[in-house]
Amino acid sequence: MSTLTRPAVHRRSNADRFRQGLASGKFTAVLILLPPALILFSLFVILPLADAAYYSAFSWNGYGTPTNFVGTQNYERLLDHSVFHTALWNTAKLILVSLVVQMPLALGLALLVYRKTPTNTLFRLVFFLPYILAEVAAGLIWSFVFDGDYGITAFMFQALGQESVYVLADRQWAFPAIMTVIVWKYFGFHMMIYIAALQSVPKDLIEAAKLEGAKPRQVALFVQIPLIKHAIVVSGFFAIIGSLQIFDIIIPMTNGGPSNSTHTIVTYLYTFGLSRLNIGFGSAAAVVLFVLAIGIALFYQRATAKEERP
């Protein structure tokens, strides 16, 4: 008897929840807000991705209707291209530098200036200004800084009586210079995330740790940082996805040179696909970039979810 009534009770409870949802207006809100979001997502994500996957199967210059079907040849050319290997490695280096250098730097500065004082407010503004600056403008400014004839670098070397160094024309130093600019440009964004999280940490916990004899470093390591773990996870996600999208800084600084040594996946896609009117090949690179982004995002989500489990 009891085994027959339990499913009915379960069904009635689900029906009650459905009626309660209708009464509270939740389903109405979903019906109103979900369709526009789905339409926008389809128009700006699903359809462009489907078009890129379709065009990647053709040798097409972007004019007219693609007719020269080549199957997987664009992907084969892509994976065999040494410059694409360089672009992959450069993108991996950007991710590594963002996680190992940029985020710790931002966290350290956030711990120094998170308190609400006039001096700290000024420092926050100074540190956040590079992020406000447009990427193209930042790239142009730093290309002048590193210029071996007229830039600040040239002036410094001349003041020391040394020959000027053309940093952005050197295969060994060009990409480290770009990574330096990227750290400078975006660490303020991550710093503000950490500041917002640190300001939400209960002051009672910090005071209790100090009363127990904890030093400022111990308070940061064992009280503050564990309590802002979620902010660090979000910051890491932004750092990874942002590294996969770097484009506007590299183009005005080096345009992928010298000798294609500073390309990332996006600048590679632009240079060897769009600018050379090889849309089919560029679409193949776009599909690979999308797959990499999804794969890395899923891996990161799974890795951070495991760490958050008790």
Side-chain angles (χ1 to χ4, degrees):
M1 182 66 180
S2 62
T3 57
L4 294 175
T5 57
R6 285 176 185 170
V9 172
H10 182 66
R11 284 195 297 272
R12 282 198 299 271
S13 65
N14 288 338
D16 291 340
R17 291 172 187 168
F18 182 75
R19 284 193 292 270
Q20 290 174 0
L22 288 176
S24 64
K26 292 181 180 179
F27 290 101
T28 304
V30 170
L31 290 175
I32 293 174
L33 299 176
L34 186 59
L38 288 176
I39 291 171
L40 291 175
F41 183 77
S42 300
L43 286 176
F44 295 104
V45 178
I46 301 299
L47 290 180
L49 178 63
D51 285 342
Y54 173 74
Y55 295 140
S56 68
F58 293 87
S59 178
W60 184 48
N61 62 2
Y63 294 98
T65 302
T67 56
N68 187 13
F69 181 80
V70 295
T72 61
Q73 289 184 15
N74 285 325
Y75 294 96
E76 293 171 2
R77 289 175 52 205
L78 183 71
L79 296 177
D80 289 338
H81 197 189
S82 60
V83 179
F84 181 69
H85 300 163
T86 301
L88 283 175
W89 175 233
N90 287 341
T91 303
K93 286 191 287 187
L94 282 179
I95 293 174
L96 184 63
V97 167
S98 297
L99 295 177
V100 176
V101 178
Q102 185 171 262
M103 288 177 56
L105 174 64
L107 181 57
L109 290 174
L111 288 167
L112 292 175
V113 301
Y114 79 93
R115 295 180 182 85
K116 296 179 181 179
T117 65
T119 304
N120 286 346
T121 301
L122 176 62
F123 278 114
R124 287 181 216 162
L125 177 63
V126 172
F127 293 144
F128 192 67
L129 277 177
Y131 180 72
I132 300 175
L133 190 66
E135 282 80 359
V136 173
L140 290 172
I141 290 171
W142 281 94
S143 65
F144 175 76
V145 170
F146 289 125
D147 188 278
D149 292 322
Y150 308 105
I152 297 175
T153 303
F155 174 78
M156 292 174 59
F157 275 92
Q158 290 172 4
L160 295 173
Q162 303 292 326
E163 292 185 3
S164 297
V165 176
Y166 297 85
V167 177
L168 298 181
D170 191 317
R171 288 176 58 91
Q172 183 179 357
W173 293 106
F175 200 73
I178 289 174
M179 290 191 291
T180 302
V181 174
I182 289 171
V183 170
W184 168 84
K185 178 76 171 66
Y186 294 107
F187 83 92
F189 169 75
H190 299 279
M191 182 193 69
M192 296 305 291
I193 294 176
Y194 300 144
I195 288 175
L198 287 168
Q199 290 179 347
S200 66
V201 174
K203 295 181 180 179
D204 296 341
L205 294 177
I206 298 175
E207 294 299 328
K210 290 180 178 178
L211 289 175
E212 292 293 331
K215 297 179 180 180
R217 181 180 178 184
Q218 293 172 321
V219 172
L221 289 176
F222 301 109
V223 178
Q224 293 174 301
I225 293 178
L227 290 176
I228 65 168
K229 185 176 180 181
H230 293 288
I232 295 174
V233 169
V234 172
S235 174
F237 180 79
F238 282 134
I240 293 172
I241 298 301
S243 299
L244 291 171
Q245 299 175 341
I246 292 296
F247 171 78
D248 295 341
I249 291 178
I250 296 177
I251 293 299
M253 287 186 69
T254 63
N255 199 25
S259 303
N260 295 318
S261 63
T262 59
H263 276 299
T264 60
I265 299 177
V266 182
T267 61
Y268 175 88
L269 184 161
Y270 170 78
T271 302
F272 291 92
L274 298 180
S275 65
R276 300 187 182 187
L277 294 180
N278 197 347
I279 306 302
F281 185 76
S283 297
V287 171
V288 172
L289 174 61
F290 178 80
V291 172
L292 282 175
I294 292 296
I296 292 173
L298 291 176
F299 173 79
Y300 184 79
Q301 183 180 14
R302 288 174 64 89
T304 54
K306 288 180 180 179
E307 293 181 359
E308 292 176 1
R309 291 173 187 170

